[in-house]
Amino acid sequence: MMRIACVLVCLGLLAPTVGAQLGGMDLITALELGLVKAEFRGNGDSSVVGRIWGTPNGPTELTLEPGTQFWAQLGAGGGGFGRGGGLGQPTGGAFGQLGGGGGGRQGMGALGQNPINLGGDRFVDVRIPTACTNIGLPAPTRNDVMVAVRCPDPRIARVASLYGQPDVHPAAVQVAVWAITDNPPAKPISQFLQRAARQLQKADATTALSADGLLQQAADLLRRADVDPSLFTVFR
C-alpha cells in the first residue's frame, strides 16, 4: 500500500513537470491532445487571426509549422470558441482546385516560422501570415471560422518555410504556392504580379523588381523547395 501511495504521489508531482517540458510542441499536436484550445478566423488575402488558450499542464510555447492549412467552415458566425469540426474541407485533391472552404472561401496556408508563447496568462492572440491555396475564390473574413490541419502537401511546407528570408517577396511565395495547389494559367498570375510590382514601385520608386522578376523569384523558390517549376503552366 505504501508503495502504491508513493507511486500516485510521484505521478501527481510529475504531471506539472511533464506539462512544463512541452514547450515547442506543434500546435496541431497540442490541439489533438487537448492541451490547448484555439479559434482561428479569416483576415483577408494574406493572414489568419487566432486566439489560443493553454490548459494548466499544457505547453507554454507552441510552434505553427510552415504550410499548416486553414479551411474555412460552412455556416461560420458567432458562437463559442473551439477547434471546430471538419466542415467545408474541399474535395478534388489535397487542396481542392475546384473546391475551397465552406461557402466557397479560400483555404489559407501558414507561411514562415511562427513561434507562439502563451505567457503567464496562458492566453494569446495571434496573426499568422498566409498564402491563398484556392486561386480565384473570395478571401475569408472575420465571419469565417478557419480550422487548422496539417499541411496536405510537403511541397507546400517546403515553400512556406522560405517565407521571410532575405530577398523573398510574399508575392513570389504566393505564386509558388498557387502553382502547386491550382496550376493556374499564365494570365491571372501575370495580372497578380503586375499589381504586386506596381505596389512595390509605388512604395519605392528605386526598386528594380518587376512582374517578370517576381515570377523568376517564384520559380527559384520552387527549385529551392525541390520542386521542378517546368511542371506548372505559368513557368513554361
Side-chain angles (χ1 to χ4, degrees):
M1 286 293 292
M2 290 181 64
R3 181 177 298 177
I4 294 173
C6 179
V7 170
L8 291 174
V9 170
C10 290
L11 286 175
L13 292 173
L14 283 174
T17 304
V18 172
Q21 293 175 348
L22 293 177
M25 176 178 283
D26 170 53
L27 173 65
I28 301 299
T29 300
L31 286 168
E32 291 171 346
L33 294 175
L35 295 173
V36 298
K37 295 182 180 181
E39 182 182 271
F40 299 99
R41 289 185 178 260
N43 195 46
D45 285 317
S46 58
S47 65
V48 165
V49 293
R51 182 171 291 179
I52 303 169
W53 297 263
T55 60
N57 292 326
T60 57
E61 295 181 357
L62 300 165
T63 57
L64 184 69
E65 295 297 322
T68 297
Q69 182 69 17
F70 294 90
W71 293 127
Q73 299 301 283
L74 291 168
F81 294 106
R83 189 177 174 206
L87 301 175
Q89 182 167 327
T91 58
F95 288 92
Q97 185 171 351
L98 301 178
R105 297 289 186 181
Q106 299 170 0
M108 309 297 286
L111 298 177
Q113 305 293 331
N114 292 279
I116 300 168
N117 189 329
L118 294 175
D121 294 332
R122 314 285 300 160
F123 166 88
V124 67
D125 288 326
V126 296
R127 179 182 175 277
I128 301 157
T130 58
C132 165
T133 58
N134 300 98
I135 192 170
L137 294 179
T141 70
R142 294 295 180 96
N143 291 325
D144 298 302
V145 172
M146 310 292 286
V147 169
V149 300
R150 299 184 191 281
C151 182
D153 190 323
R155 298 174 298 172
I156 293 294
R158 295 197 297 269
V159 169
S161 70
L162 300 173
Y163 174 85
Q165 295 188 11
D167 301 322
V168 174
H169 192 274
V173 178
Q174 177 62 85
V175 169
V177 168
W178 273 334
I180 296 170
T181 60
D182 294 272
N183 192 17
K187 184 176 180 179
I189 296 300
S190 175
Q191 292 172 337
F192 170 77
L193 290 178
Q194 287 171 11
R195 289 194 299 271
R198 286 196 297 269
Q199 291 171 356
L200 280 170
Q201 291 161 5
K202 185 176 180 180
D204 181 4
T206 65
T207 184
L209 197 55
S210 64
D212 287 342
L214 288 169
L215 184 63
Q216 182 58 52
Q217 191 178 115
D220 291 341
L221 285 170
L222 288 170
R223 293 189 190 96
R224 290 169 60 184
D226 296 322
V227 181
D228 182 0
S230 67
L231 295 173
F232 308 108
T233 302
V234 70
F235 300 109
R236 293 175 190 154

